[in-house]
């Protein structure tokens, strides 16, 4: 069984960019990732296939997907809508569930973005930040007990849903030189998230005009890229 390669951050040039994309989306690499990470996945997308069921057609499907990704012609299947509650009196979070084939592609796309934007890869979860802040406050209160300490906690409401797709793609174009990669990212953004059993003729009604779909492998890093870029400006 082929082993997946390890991609390290690099100094971005057009040659590196194109070579990285071609390597990550080669048929061999896609199949290796599926076997290692998604073959036992029980979740199903709009095609109603889990990892075991998709395995029977994986070599052929992923070989075709590889060609389409590198040629810039790959299209994602609509994501399957699932709603997750955020608590009482709060609207649920809309999550998109990709098909198994699309999960493989999105996984590789996330790896591609992480190599180009290593400083945007989320490394600490909220609890880690809280522990760090608590430790710092304990040190401050011990050494300077008379100082007033203020903490500001903020949350950007519906941040993912309100991201400007045009601006995000414009930011990505400043670094990414691969047109195929940019087209793949754009299509991941505009793919509709549809309720179960939605007819194909109605899919276009759910196509988003803004925001980053939640639940995808690339959701967090795309949000981080636009957030860090906005802060640095």
């Amino acid at each position: 069984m082929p082993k997946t390669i390890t991609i390290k951050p690099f100094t971005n040039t057009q040659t590196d960019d194109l070579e990285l994309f071609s390597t990550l989306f080669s048929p061999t690499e896609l199949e290796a990732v599926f076997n290692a990470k998604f073959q036992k996945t029980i979740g199903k997308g709009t095609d109603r296939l889990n990892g075991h069921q998709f395995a029977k057609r994986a070599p052929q499907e992923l070989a075709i997907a590889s060609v389409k990704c590198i040629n810039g012609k790959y299209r994602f299947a609509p994501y399957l809508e699932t709603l997750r509650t955020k608590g009482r009196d709060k609207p649920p979070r809309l999550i998109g569930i990709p098909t198994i084939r699309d999960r493989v592609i999105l996984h590789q796309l996330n790896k591609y973005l992480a190599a180009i934007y290593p400083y945007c890869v989320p490394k600490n979860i909220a609890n880690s930040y809280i522990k760090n802040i608590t430790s710092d406050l304990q040190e401050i209160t011990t050494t300077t007990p008379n100082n007033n300490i203020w903490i500001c906690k903020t949350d950007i409401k519906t941040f993912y849903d309100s991201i400007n797709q045009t601006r995000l793609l414009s930011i990505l174009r400043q670094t990414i030189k691969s047109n195929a990669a940019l087209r793949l990212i754009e299509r991941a953004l505009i793919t509709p998230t549809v309720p179960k059993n939605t007819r194909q003729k109605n899919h276009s009604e759910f196509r988003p005009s803004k925001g980053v779909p939640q639940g995808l492998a690339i959701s967090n890093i795309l949000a981080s890229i636009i957030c860090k870029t906005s802060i640095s400006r």
Side-chain angles (χ1 to χ4, degrees):
M1 180 182 298
K3 296 182 178 180
T4 58
I5 58 174
T6 300
I7 301 296
K8 298 180 179 180
F10 61 93
T11 302
N12 189 47
T13 64
Q14 185 170 0
T15 301
D16 288 329
D17 194 348
L18 297 174
E19 182 180 355
L20 174 65
F21 189 80
S22 296
T23 300
L24 286 172
F25 290 90
S26 67
T28 300
E29 184 65 10
L30 293 181
E31 189 173 353
V33 168
F34 166 73
N35 290 329
K37 295 184 175 295
F38 298 103
Q39 190 171 21
K40 297 181 180 180
T41 299
I42 60 175
K44 301 179 181 181
T46 51
D47 63 353
R48 302 181 182 180
L49 297 177
N50 60 27
H52 176 72
Q53 294 167 322
F54 181 77
K56 301 174 184 178
R57 61 176 76 176
Q60 180 181 2
E61 290 258 1
L62 295 175
I64 295 172
S66 171
V67 174
K68 290 185 176 181
C69 285
I70 294 173
N71 289 343
K73 297 180 179 180
Y74 186 84
R75 295 184 182 276
F76 296 91
Y79 311 129
L80 180 63
E81 175 185 295
T82 183
L83 301 176
R84 295 184 182 175
T85 179
K86 295 190 291 183
R88 183 178 295 179
D89 300 326
K90 293 182 179 180
R93 180 179 288 112
L94 176 64
I95 304 294
I97 307 298
T99 64
I100 298 296
R101 182 197 63 186
D102 288 347
R103 291 189 194 200
V104 175
I105 301 303
L106 290 165
H107 176 274
Q108 293 302 86
L109 192 54
N110 181 58
K111 190 182 292 187
Y112 173 83
L113 289 168
I116 298 177
Y117 300 94
Y119 51 89
C120 291
V121 177
K123 295 180 180 179
N124 290 327
I125 59 174
N127 287 338
S128 298
Y129 285 119
I130 293 172
K131 289 180 181 179
N132 292 338
I133 292 172
T134 302
S135 177
D136 291 341
L137 288 178
Q138 288 176 345
E139 181 178 349
I140 293 173
T141 54
T142 300
T143 57
T144 56
N146 294 326
N147 285 0
N148 291 325
I149 299 172
W150 296 81
I151 300 175
C152 178
K153 178 182 178 181
T154 62
D155 183 23
I156 304 176
K157 188 176 181 180
T158 63
F159 174 60
Y160 282 73
D161 297 334
S162 60
I163 290 175
N164 186 306
Q165 294 180 353
T166 301
R167 183 164 180 265
L168 173 58
L169 291 169
S170 178
I171 291 171
L172 296 176
R173 289 190 186 97
Q174 295 174 17
T175 303
I176 297 175
K177 306 304 178 184
S178 169
N179 289 327
L182 290 168
R183 280 194 287 268
L184 192 60
I185 295 169
E186 181 178 10
R187 284 174 178 161
L189 291 175
I190 64 175
T191 295
T193 299
V194 302
K196 187 177 181 180
N197 298 326
T198 300
R199 293 186 178 183
Q200 185 174 358
K201 66 178 183 178
N202 297 328
H203 285 176
S204 60
E205 298 176 9
F206 298 92
R207 179 173 173 171
S209 59
K210 62 180 180 178
V212 170
Q214 297 186 60
L216 310 185
I218 61 173
S219 300
N220 289 342
I221 193 168
L222 289 178
S224 179
I225 289 170
I226 195 167
C227 187
K228 288 182 182 293
T229 303
S230 301
I231 292 174
S232 63
R233 291 182 178 179

